[in-house]
Amino acid sequence: MPELDLTVSSADLTRAVCDIPSVSDDETALADAIFAAVSPLAHLEVIRDGDTIVARTQLGRAQRVVIAGHIDTVPINANLPVREMVEDGQEFLWGRGTVDMKAGVAVQLKLAAELVDPRVDITWMWYDHEEVAAELNGLTRLAANRPDLFAGDFAILGEPSNGQVEGGCNGNLRAIVRTHGVRSHSARAWIGDNAIHHAAPILQRLSEHTPADVEVEGLVYREGLNAVRISGGIAGNVIPDLCEVEVNYRFAPRRSPEEAVAIVREFFDGFEVEVVDLAGGARPGLDAPLAQEFVAAVGAEPRPKYGWTDVARFSALGVPAVNYGPGDPSLAHHDQERVPVEQIDAVERGLRTWLSNR
């Protein structure tokens, strides 16, 4: 079994965590390594639920902070093992997971081992299946099995944020928009009715759509409505009777999931629409006292989070939550995924300073 040494630097730990492949649905090896590394720490109570590991202090502090990070990645594409690279004089770690979000996980693991007397009680969560459908998410399972573990006054997700604080997150909706036709031999196409051709208005509407900028509590969230997949066709000599366009709608946290569904159905009026995945967004939550203390301590200027993250899960439970982690979000899932070593160090310093100061 791979082993993790929590005494090394956060950058070295990032490399070690990344070099244990953990594409969604294959996280067990990394979960085993994390569980083995944190279980001997006497100041932590360690709980395992599937491939989700929870470690928490029980110091009787007046406040509790939940700090979480997912351990899965999108598929590897010849970008492991991790390698060092220098670009414009800056040192990077290059490879799958360095940005999304194993550098953040490495920082959390190191601090979990070393912060034996923090100013607040801390619940550390490292969870599986974040990069896939919401119902598979390890936190979904954990919330059903141990809802008490989510209790807290503030939560921090180690999602990549360029070492800045990103408040809240956009909601995420996926829908299948379908067109129907009639099959026939392509040599007698006039007998059939081509469903793929009927998809042209769907694509036209999307190409002409202008995304909205929506302000929520002082942060401006940019929405997006895009086709992300299209499928149709039976054979090279058959007129297709079905075409499906998968659409992704990223909606500002001012909108409820129900409003998002209504917007998509209205946008594609006249077509069959099936919503296949839906997760509400999260308002920034930066008005909470602990959030304000945290932002001040790390010296960050809050920004909006355009992607969906599990801050939404905590927000729905009434726990204000922000994103704070190393890595450029625009490089998440990118084949050139890479994180500046200095940013890993800076995030570690920021969290350590805030959690240690009394």
Side-chain angles (χ1 to χ4, degrees):
M1 183 183 77
E3 295 184 358
L4 295 175
D5 181 357
L6 304 188
T7 67
V8 302
S9 70
S10 288
D12 287 342
L13 191 52
T14 296
R15 178 194 291 271
V17 171
C18 289
D19 283 345
I20 303 174
S22 58
V23 175
S24 301
D25 211 32
D26 189 27
E27 297 99 325
T28 299
L30 180 53
D32 287 346
I34 291 173
F35 184 72
V38 299
S39 290
L41 300 174
H43 64 286
L44 295 175
E45 176 193 9
V46 180
I47 301 110
R48 181 165 186 171
D49 185 284
D51 286 334
T52 290
I53 313 299
V54 179
R56 59 180 180 174
T57 63
Q58 299 280 36
L59 301 172
R61 302 288 193 247
Q63 295 173 304
R64 177 173 292 276
V65 173
V66 182
I67 303 178
H70 66 83
I71 64 174
D72 62 322
T73 72
V74 296
I76 297 163
N77 188 22
N79 49 3
L80 278 185
V82 169
R83 60 179 172 85
E84 295 180 6
M85 62 179 293
V86 177
E87 189 175 276
D88 297 328
Q90 191 173 23
E91 184 182 358
F92 291 83
L93 294 179
W94 174 97
R96 176 64 76 226
T98 52
V99 171
D100 193 11
M101 56 161 286
K102 290 184 174 181
V105 166
V107 168
Q108 293 168 5
L109 286 168
K110 183 169 181 62
L111 293 178
E114 296 181 358
L115 294 178
V116 299
D117 188 30
R119 64 187 289 254
V120 293
D121 269 312
I122 306 172
T123 300
W124 305 95
M125 291 182 174
W126 302 289
Y127 61 99
D128 58 291
H129 286 89
E130 190 272 349
E131 297 289 6
V132 288
E135 65 267 18
L136 301 176
N137 189 304
L139 293 186
T140 301
R141 183 185 65 250
L142 188 65
N145 295 339
R146 290 292 305 273
D148 57 298
L149 296 177
F150 289 79
D153 301 283
F154 181 50
I156 301 170
L157 272 291
E159 291 284 355
S161 64
N162 266 323
Q164 300 297 312
V165 175
E166 293 185 334
C169 68
N170 274 335
N172 184 35
L173 179 154
R174 288 188 302 114
I176 304 297
V177 186
R178 294 187 178 91
T179 60
H180 298 272
V182 177
R183 291 191 193 189
S184 75
H185 197 296
S186 61
R188 297 175 178 80
W190 61 88
I191 297 174
D193 185 17
N194 197 312
I196 292 179
H197 293 180
H198 291 322
I202 297 172
L203 302 179
Q204 185 69 24
R205 291 183 197 183
L206 288 167
S207 66
E208 294 175 352
H209 175 66
T210 301
D213 290 338
V214 182
E215 183 173 339
V216 183
E217 298 174 14
L219 299 182
V220 179
Y221 294 82
R222 184 174 178 82
E223 297 192 322
L225 184 63
N226 293 281
V228 293
R229 185 181 290 114
I230 186 167
S231 61
I234 298 96
N237 60 352
V238 178
I239 298 300
D241 61 348
L242 175 67
C243 181
E244 297 183 329
V245 180
E246 184 174 341
V247 174
N248 183 218
Y249 179 35
R250 302 285 177 155
F251 56 96
R254 193 178 71 187
R255 308 191 197 281
S256 69
E258 294 75 19
E259 289 171 328
V261 170
I263 287 170
V264 168
R265 292 195 183 281
E266 181 179 0
F267 187 86
F268 294 109
D269 183 45
F271 293 95
E272 178 185 330
V273 177
E274 179 189 1
V275 175
V276 294
D277 193 26
L278 179 62
R283 302 182 78 87
L286 294 168
D287 53 350
L290 272 178
Q292 293 175 357
E293 291 176 20
F294 172 68
V295 170
V298 301
E301 180 179 347
R303 303 172 180 178
K305 187 66 166 178
Y306 297 130
W308 186 91
T309 76
D310 281 301
V311 295
R313 189 179 306 276
F314 288 95
S315 178
L317 294 171
V319 180
V322 299
N323 304 278
Y324 178 65
D328 182 348
S330 67
L331 290 176
H333 304 183
H334 199 288
D335 287 343
Q336 294 303 316
E337 189 173 353
R338 60 194 182 277
V339 63
V341 170
E342 189 282 328
Q343 213 170 80
I344 299 173
D345 295 339
V347 168
E348 180 191 333
R349 286 194 304 272
L351 281 170
R352 186 188 297 276
T353 298
W354 181 64
L355 292 169
S356 300
N357 286 345
R358 296 183 186 280

